[in-house]
Amino acid sequence: MIIGIVGGILQGMEAVYLCKHAGYTSLVIDRNPNAPAMSISDRKEVCDVVKEEARAREIFSQCDAVIPAVEEIEVLETLDRVLGEMDIPFLFDIRSYKTSCSKEKSNELMSRLGTPIPQPWPECGFPIIVKPSCQSGSIGVSAVNDEEERQRAPKVVEKLGDTPIKQEFVHGKSVSIDVIGNGTSARSYVTTEVILDSNYDCKQVLCENRVLPEEDRILFEKIGKDLGEGLGLNALMDVEAIYTKKGLRVLEIDARIPSQTPACICAATGINLLEELVCSKLGRESGKVAHDGCAIYEHYIVRGDNLCTCGEKEFSHVENPVYVEGFFGADEAITDYRSGKAEWRCTVIHTGKDFQDALWKKKQFITSVMESCDLDEYIDRAPEMI
């Protein structure tokens, strides 16, 4: 089966990884010939699917299904129309995406469904978070501790041409769950923990069966299923939440292929979310059953004499990467490492029968890189807490 992947950066690399483990042929399509997913895919095409529609159609005719790994609405609308006309399975639900990419609309959905979410301002006190409605990641997000900061923070969002959302600041463990729907029913998959760097960007994902207590894990699965069905989801989405002392608080939903969590889930449990999505679109079951295991998925950069953990945005600057097994002892890696190179990046996965087993492999990896590359310092930064 040939899977067309439109977009070759973070989500594109994720989709290529999942294709590799599903036994699919990956065909990455990007207007940038140097997009990092190009060098790890089975096939590649340089094409602007919006400006070169006729050529894009020729490429899509070679595909058994197509998944977008971009969030540009013009590209997504073009794909939705063209693939619909060609009757090629489109592994995406643009209607659900348009709801999920607006925090205003998704908050309305969650309020209607009774989903536990952070309290809005002014019902909550300080501290609060002020964030844009339609941006992704940490773009335009401000932590606010007092009235002066509250007056200033919305201006940051307004400069982006967006609407500010003001909510209670909640802290605790950051967790995510992926959901696949067929337009009527939805299924929640595996819960993962998301660990952030000092810029509040994801640097590590942990998948193991102890991420949440059993009762809360079951509740999170129900929340994901209810949101998928309430949305009428006909594709894949992830649900992001904070596990606080008062329980789960859902922050947002994103109806598109996530980066990072699916690869970690695949390594830990054998469940391949791209394979599950393909089966859902074709109206059949994969028959796969998750096995117990643990995986630690993490981004690193070597710069000068230091090995540092880093967020996915920093890793996205990887150049001409390769997929490697056994990289400095890691089970799997995507990296632009070359012997003698002064600066290089990698994403590595360590697996084990449990967390301690995977953690031991991680420590061995760090030691191996430090010694082999003659580095002086290992740096692992975390966010400053309010």
Side-chain angles (χ1 to χ4, degrees):
M1 175 174 280
I2 299 174
I3 303 294
I5 302 164
V6 180
I9 307 182
L10 290 167
Q11 294 165 335
M13 287 187 278
E14 191 81 13
V16 169
Y17 174 92
L18 296 174
C19 279
K20 187 181 298 292
H21 285 267
Y24 299 154
T25 298
S26 58
L27 169 54
V28 172
I29 306 142
D30 198 297
R31 58 180 175 247
N32 177 9
N34 298 314
M38 293 284 205
S39 61
I40 60 171
S41 63
D42 297 307
R43 295 167 56 184
K44 59 186 177 183
E45 294 283 355
V46 179
C47 177
D48 186 320
V49 299
V50 174
K51 296 180 180 178
E52 303 174 82
E53 186 176 311
R55 182 155 180 273
R57 286 176 179 266
E58 292 179 7
I59 297 169
F60 295 149
S61 67
Q62 306 168 38
C63 301
D64 297 294
V66 174
I67 187 165
V70 295
E71 298 186 43
E72 297 171 49
I73 194 64
E74 186 179 13
V75 174
L76 296 171
E77 289 177 339
T78 298
L79 292 173
D80 188 59
R81 173 178 56 80
V82 169
L83 295 168
E85 292 169 357
M86 297 181 70
D87 197 28
I88 295 172
F90 187 32
L91 307 178
F92 188 72
D93 178 358
I94 195 164
R95 184 192 56 78
S96 294
Y97 176 77
K98 287 181 176 179
T99 297
S100 75
C101 70
S102 165
K103 292 179 178 64
E104 284 183 296
K105 292 180 180 178
S106 56
N107 282 347
E108 288 172 6
L109 171 69
M110 290 190 280
S111 295
R112 176 167 56 83
L113 295 175
T115 305
I117 60 176
Q119 286 187 313
W121 175 268
E123 283 85 347
C124 64
F126 292 115
I128 64 171
I129 288 290
V130 178
K131 56 188 176 181
S133 176
C134 299
Q135 303 295 318
S136 61
S138 58
I139 297 171
V141 177
S142 300
V144 171
N145 291 289
D146 55 40
E147 183 61 24
E148 182 180 346
E149 291 179 355
R150 189 187 73 81
Q151 295 288 340
R152 189 167 56 245
K155 296 176 184 177
V156 176
V157 176
E158 288 160 5
K159 285 181 180 178
L160 297 170
D162 211 331
T163 302
I165 303 295
K166 304 170 189 176
Q167 285 183 321
E168 168 192 13
F169 175 82
V170 292
H171 58 91
K173 182 183 290 188
S174 180
V175 293
S176 176
I177 194 164
D178 296 299
V179 180
I180 293 176
N182 61 13
T184 303
S185 61
R187 174 186 171 186
S188 292
Y189 284 82
V190 182
T191 297
T192 54
E193 180 180 358
V194 177
I195 296 111
L196 307 179
D197 72 354
S198 57
N199 295 315
Y200 293 86
D201 194 18
C202 178
K203 68 178 180 182
Q204 182 189 117
V205 177
L206 171 64
C207 183
E208 63 155 344
N209 58 15
R210 297 180 302 163
V211 166
L212 288 175
E214 182 74 4
E215 182 179 349
D216 294 293
R217 179 188 62 79
I218 293 171
L219 174 60
F220 199 22
E221 290 175 0
K222 182 180 185 303
I223 288 171
K225 176 179 171 63
D226 289 347
L227 283 169
E229 293 176 354
L231 192 58
L233 178 70
N234 190 19
L236 170 64
M237 76 171 186
D238 72 331
V239 181
E240 299 175 20
I242 300 293
Y243 183 56
T244 75
K245 292 180 179 179
K246 297 180 180 179
L248 289 161
R249 295 294 182 269
V250 176
L251 299 183
E252 61 182 54
I253 57 176
D254 290 300
R256 43 72 174 144
I257 182 173
S259 56
Q260 308 174 101
T261 54
C264 192
I265 289 167
C266 185
T269 71
I271 294 295
N272 187 319
L273 291 172
L274 179 59
E275 186 177 13
E276 296 290 318
L277 179 57
V278 168
C279 289
S280 176
K281 284 289 184 178
L282 298 178
R284 62 176 189 240
E285 297 287 334
S286 70
K288 296 288 181 69
V289 178
H291 58 72
D292 287 335
C294 175
I296 301 172
Y297 170 111
E298 196 160 21
H299 305 299
Y300 293 91
I301 179 171
V302 168
R303 182 178 283 145
D305 295 324
N306 299 328
L307 170 65
C308 308
T309 57
C310 67
E312 64 172 346
K313 289 185 179 65
E314 177 62 58
F315 173 72
S316 71
H317 298 296
V318 65
E319 297 177 348
N320 195 34
V322 293
Y323 170 83
V324 186
E325 294 181 356
F327 181 69
F328 288 104
D331 290 280
E332 300 177 277
I334 294 174
T335 181
D336 61 0
Y337 166 81
R338 305 292 186 272
S339 180
K341 195 174 180 182
E343 180 174 307
W344 52 272
R345 296 163 176 80
C346 64
T347 294
V348 298
I349 299 177
H350 309 284
T351 61
K353 63 181 184 297
D354 55 29
F355 177 69
Q356 291 303 321
D357 192 18
L359 182 62
W360 181 84
K361 286 186 177 180
K362 171 184 170 176
K363 291 177 178 178
Q364 292 295 108
F365 165 79
I366 292 170
T367 299
S368 179
V369 173
M370 295 290 292
E371 292 179 350
S372 300
C373 299
D374 195 23
L375 302 178
D376 294 334
E377 188 176 10
Y378 168 63
I379 301 169
D380 183 17
R381 296 190 177 95
E384 293 182 9
M385 297 301 293
I386 293 182

